[in-house]
Amino acid sequence: MVAKFTLETSSDYLTSRAGLILVGKLLAETKLFGRLNRSVIDNIKVPLISNADNVVAYLGLLCQGKSDFDHIEPFRQDRFFAKALGIRKMTSAPTLRQRFDQAAPCGQWQRVLLEESADLLKKFHAPLSPIPIHRKKEETPVSYMPLDLDVSPFDNSGTQKEGVSRTYKGFDGYSPFFGYLGQEGYCVNVALREGKTNVQKHADDFIDMAVRYAKRVTDTPLLLRMDGGNDAADNINYCLDHNVDFLIKRNPRKESPEKWLAFAKREGRSIEERAGKTVYWGSETVHPERFIKPVQLVYHVTERTAERDGQLLLVPEIELNLFWTTLTCEEEQILALYKDHATSEQFHSEIKSELDLERLPSGKFDTNDLVLHLGAFAYNLLRLIGQIALTEPDAPTKKKKVFRQRIRTVIQDLMLISARFVTHARTLKLCFGRWSPWFPQLHRIYRQLS
């Protein structure tokens, strides 16, 4: 039988977002407040609500998976929200929208967010996992830090927002560019682009910024990975000129798969993975005229003459994969490294769905670009908290060992924790319930960040 409850209010001040103290701790270690307040916005001499208060309030929303400007309204009278994040004067939805509209076009805040995010990851020694790569004729593997660059369209169908147009996915929206560092996937660079924008447009500038921000975070040699849409001489020459190792899928364009199969049979190695399926692979050093230095061209050709169930094919199926790279490891590892590049799709989905940023909140393109940069900053805050949480086995749930915490898991387990907020004798205190399973981990992370 279900128990019957009596509902009543209490004079106690309760919060269901106690985990925001971790976000506030991280923000306090940045120069974000000072740099934003020193930035000058046209027609605003002395703002009643500071720039930093507006930005930090919105970051507080994003760290709960909320992205709409109107979501700030319930927090205007929330003393804990302001205290936890260091906000002096709470903003409102109209003020938030207006301030972002005024600040976004100059791009100054976007640059500050990317720089402070990179410096924060460096300062807290963010857990970064390199990839060990075994070079040919070398026994000791070399560690590379993956830097994955990729475009992921945002579906904004049915809207009249500035910059929304047809994407290569077949829907109306935006085509933002993302750069993720390490196997954990910290976002080091982001740029909002119109939906119709070609994947390669301004890619060389984006690569340059991504490499610069990545080098602010780690000293480990970088391995730049990109899809076939970015098979361009400008990208490869940038990497060769700046001594950045890369792995970029080569676009065969109109080249015949049959010719590559014949070449692979003649020059490469082969293995029959099953009856009716043979894989050929190999590599060669080439120096195309448009490249400033020679590079490795790796080929991986699969010929299928029968289905897995034994059904013979009238015409053999040929699957062709070509890669440009500066690595000198085995061809099998090259393919495995590129397949690992697909993990960035998970990072895209976390930003889109778990931070609720796919359908961006403003009708103005520049404002949405600023919101996306704020999303990348909040994403890194939550990712850092999640990775620190994994350093000790103090989670109440018993599950298999995980390498990376999803953003949704961090929000649900560590951000949305209930506690009683007490102010007494100029001290602030959070009192957690007798049964609060995530308190030990929250307490440990808070002390670790102090």
Side-chain angles (χ1 to χ4, degrees):
M1 180 177 177
V2 178
K4 185 177 180 180
F5 293 89
T6 300
L7 305 183
E8 58 183 31
T9 60
S10 168
S11 59
D12 292 337
Y13 193 95
L14 306 177
T15 179
S16 59
R17 301 164 181 84
L20 288 178
I21 59 174
L22 302 180
V23 175
K25 270 290 183 184
L26 289 173
L27 291 176
E29 297 299 324
T30 69
K31 299 178 182 177
L32 196 64
F33 291 87
R35 294 186 67 180
L36 290 174
N37 287 335
R38 287 194 298 270
S39 64
V40 179
I41 301 176
D42 293 341
N43 303 322
I44 301 180
K45 294 183 178 180
V46 182
L48 181 62
I49 300 175
S50 70
N51 298 333
D53 284 346
N54 280 281
V55 167
V56 171
Y58 193 69
L59 286 174
L61 291 181
L62 289 172
C63 288
Q64 300 173 69
K66 302 175 184 291
S67 64
D68 196 274
F69 295 126
D70 289 334
H71 287 152
I72 198 65
E73 292 300 321
F75 296 96
R76 293 184 64 186
Q77 307 300 324
D78 190 332
R79 290 182 298 157
F80 169 77
F81 183 84
K83 290 291 185 180
L85 298 174
I87 298 172
R88 294 187 176 182
K89 190 175 183 62
M90 275 300 297
T91 186
S92 64
T95 301
L96 196 60
R97 184 186 296 273
Q98 183 184 52
R99 189 66 55 85
F100 283 10
D101 288 345
Q102 293 169 325
C106 69
Q108 184 180 1
W109 284 14
Q110 289 91 317
R111 187 181 70 254
V112 169
L113 288 165
L114 291 174
E115 291 174 354
E116 289 302 318
S117 179
D119 293 342
L120 180 67
L121 296 176
K122 178 73 171 181
K123 183 173 184 177
F124 279 94
H125 306 287
L128 280 165
S129 301
I131 297 176
I133 295 178
H134 295 266
R135 293 174 175 172
K136 293 180 179 178
K137 301 179 181 180
E138 292 186 13
E139 295 183 359
T140 306
V142 179
S143 294
Y144 282 92
M145 193 63 67
L147 177 59
D148 295 297
L149 307 187
D150 194 20
V151 172
S152 180
F154 281 18
D155 187 353
N156 280 253
S157 303
T159 68
Q160 301 297 319
K161 298 173 185 176
E162 182 183 1
V164 168
S165 53
R166 205 67 173 174
T167 68
Y168 68 85
K169 288 287 190 180
F171 53 72
D172 292 336
Y174 296 105
S175 294
F177 218 146
F178 295 94
Y180 301 105
L181 181 65
Q183 297 185 70
E184 292 78 6
Y186 297 99
C187 187
V188 293
N189 195 18
V190 65
L192 187 66
R193 309 185 313 166
E194 294 184 6
K196 63 183 179 182
T197 306
N198 185 276
V199 173
Q200 178 55 26
K201 187 174 182 180
H202 303 309
D204 50 346
D205 294 332
F206 186 86
I207 293 172
D208 180 57
M209 291 182 62
V211 169
R212 291 176 185 273
Y213 289 130
K215 288 183 176 180
R216 290 178 76 141
V217 179
T218 179
D219 297 325
T220 306
L222 301 175
L223 174 60
L224 183 74
R225 299 188 291 194
M226 301 181 77
D227 292 333
N230 295 112
D231 172 19
D234 289 343
N235 301 342
I236 293 173
N237 287 334
Y238 172 86
C239 295
L240 293 172
D241 191 40
H242 291 79
N243 296 317
V244 177
D245 288 289
F246 60 86
L247 174 57
I248 300 176
K249 189 170 185 180
R250 184 179 181 275
N251 188 344
R253 295 177 172 87
K254 296 182 180 181
E255 296 179 20
S256 170
E258 289 77 12
K259 289 184 178 179
W260 273 104
L261 177 61
F263 175 80
K265 287 182 176 180
R266 185 175 66 251
E267 301 291 340
R269 295 176 291 158
S270 66
I271 182 174
E272 187 177 15
E273 294 189 350
R274 62 169 172 81
K277 178 182 178 182
T278 307
V279 178
Y280 303 88
W281 67 87
S283 63
E284 60 177 345
T285 302
V286 296
H287 191 176
E289 292 183 0
R290 60 189 188 278
F291 294 175
I292 61 175
K293 294 179 183 178
V295 298
Q296 289 289 113
L297 174 59
V298 178
Y299 53 88
H300 185 275
V301 187
T302 303
E303 181 185 29
R304 294 182 179 87
T305 57
E307 298 287 358
R308 188 180 297 273
D309 60 4
Q311 177 66 48
L312 297 177
L313 300 174
L314 292 176
V315 179
E317 292 182 355
I318 302 174
E319 180 182 339
L320 176 62
N321 289 293
L322 305 172
F323 305 97
W324 300 116
T325 185
T326 50
L327 302 177
T328 56
C329 56
E330 296 292 339
E331 291 81 9
E332 298 92 332
Q333 189 173 16
I334 293 293
L335 184 62
L337 288 169
Y338 183 76
K339 286 182 176 179
D340 185 60
H341 169 66
T343 309
S344 58
E345 294 297 329
Q346 178 181 320
F347 308 146
H348 298 329
S349 70
E350 291 180 282
I351 291 177
K352 289 179 181 180
S353 60
E354 294 166 24
L355 293 184
D356 192 30
L357 283 175
E358 180 161 24
R359 298 184 74 86
L360 292 162
S362 177
K364 298 184 178 180
F365 181 84
D366 290 332
T367 303
N368 283 333
D369 180 51
L370 175 58
V371 167
L372 190 60
H373 279 76
L374 285 162
F377 194 99
Y379 167 88
N380 284 341
L381 291 174
L382 295 172
R383 175 70 75 209
L384 179 58
I385 292 170
Q387 295 309 115
I388 294 175
L390 292 177
T391 58
E392 297 288 343
D394 51 4
T397 54
K398 294 181 179 180
K399 54 185 177 181
K400 63 181 182 180
K401 183 176 177 62
V402 295
F403 172 74
R404 178 178 54 248
Q405 288 267 39
R406 286 189 67 93
I407 298 300
R408 178 181 59 208
T409 303
V410 178
I411 293 175
Q412 291 177 345
D413 294 346
L414 290 173
M415 293 295 106
L416 304 182
I417 298 180
S418 297
R420 183 162 61 95
F421 179 47
V422 179
T423 59
H424 177 70
R426 298 184 181 180
T427 60
L428 306 178
K429 183 187 298 185
L430 283 177
C431 301
F432 294 81
R434 179 176 299 178
W435 189 82
S436 184
W438 290 98
F439 171 72
Q441 189 174 84
L442 177 69
H443 191 206
R444 189 255 304 172
I445 299 174
Y446 187 74
R447 288 182 299 173
Q448 196 168 336
L449 297 178
S450 299

